[in-house]
Amino acid sequence: MNVEMRLLRGVDEAEECAGMMAASEPWITLGRGYRESLSVVSDPSREVYVAVIDGRITGFVVVEMRGAFTGYIKSICVAPDLRGRGIGARLMAYAEKRIFGETPNVFLCVSDFNDGARRFYQGLGYETVGELRDYLVRGSSEILMRKTTGPLSEAKQGEPPITSKGKRAKVRGG
């Protein structure tokens, strides 16, 4: 499968991404409608990368490179009919390559009710570092996860994370 990874281009693509997000889980449960989704993908302070197959946007990832958690993956979304085909892993690898080029940590949050996504992130080497109770939805938590090459004070920017076996992980990009 030939997947093109690139920056989001223009309002039409932002609207397409917002529609994809608002019409699928976990955003339905989180109550994130079209307008809020459009705000997320249109915010100029964020970077939005899309996965394109045969001219169709099949998924996207939203990255924040400013703030308390520099290198924060705000959202990742894959078209529901294409989930489980490696597009999400490619989006994550692309985002990680971008983030690890500047900082030794990648952060993300996942809803405690989104078991599939939690397993996906754990399989990519993310570890739980915290819990935010009642953060987005009353009665649910957002689980803060991190993938790291080490502390900020020891960072050699651009190096991939160290695996549990003590070797540098291979970080694939688009």
Side-chain angles (χ1 to χ4, degrees):
M1 175 170 34
N2 186 20
V3 181
E4 175 191 6
M5 305 295 286
R6 62 169 172 76
L7 276 168
L8 178 83
R9 297 178 187 154
V11 175
D12 289 344
E13 288 188 358
E15 290 173 347
E16 187 175 346
C17 290
M20 183 187 306
M21 179 184 278
S24 63
E25 289 295 345
W27 299 282
I28 292 170
T29 299
L30 294 171
R32 184 183 291 172
Y34 176 80
R35 283 192 172 152
E36 187 178 354
S37 296
L38 185 59
S39 175
V40 167
V41 298
S42 298
D43 185 331
S45 71
R46 298 178 178 135
E47 299 172 16
V48 181
Y49 300 97
V50 294
V52 181
I53 301 173
D54 296 328
R56 175 186 174 198
I57 294 177
T58 58
F60 63 93
V61 61
V62 180
V63 174
E64 295 185 358
M65 293 301 293
R66 295 185 209 136
F69 294 115
T70 300
Y72 180 73
I73 296 177
K74 170 80 172 162
S75 295
I76 180 171
C77 181
V78 174
D81 63 317
L82 294 172
R83 291 180 182 171
R85 297 186 186 183
I87 296 167
R90 287 178 130 158
L91 285 163
M92 289 296 293
Y94 196 83
E96 289 172 2
K97 185 175 180 182
R98 161 66 181 106
I99 293 165
F100 283 133
E102 290 189 27
T103 183
N105 297 291
V106 179
F107 295 96
L108 58 84
C109 281
V110 60
S111 299
D112 62 356
F113 58 82
N114 196 347
D115 294 329
R118 287 173 64 186
R119 283 190 303 275
F120 172 69
Y121 298 132
Q122 288 169 339
L124 294 175
Y126 287 80
E127 296 180 347
T128 298
V129 294
E131 179 181 3
L132 305 168
R133 291 185 198 96
D134 297 323
Y135 185 67
L136 295 177
V137 176
R138 184 170 302 285
S140 292
S141 294
E142 292 302 304
I143 307 302
L144 178 63
M145 301 184 85
R146 176 179 81 151
K147 188 174 189 176
T148 185
T149 61
L152 284 170
S153 63
E154 298 173 11
K156 291 184 180 178
Q157 294 180 358
E159 288 189 6
I162 297 173
T163 67
S164 59
K165 295 178 183 175
K167 296 181 180 180
R168 292 266 174 217
K170 292 182 181 177
V171 178
R172 298 173 304 167

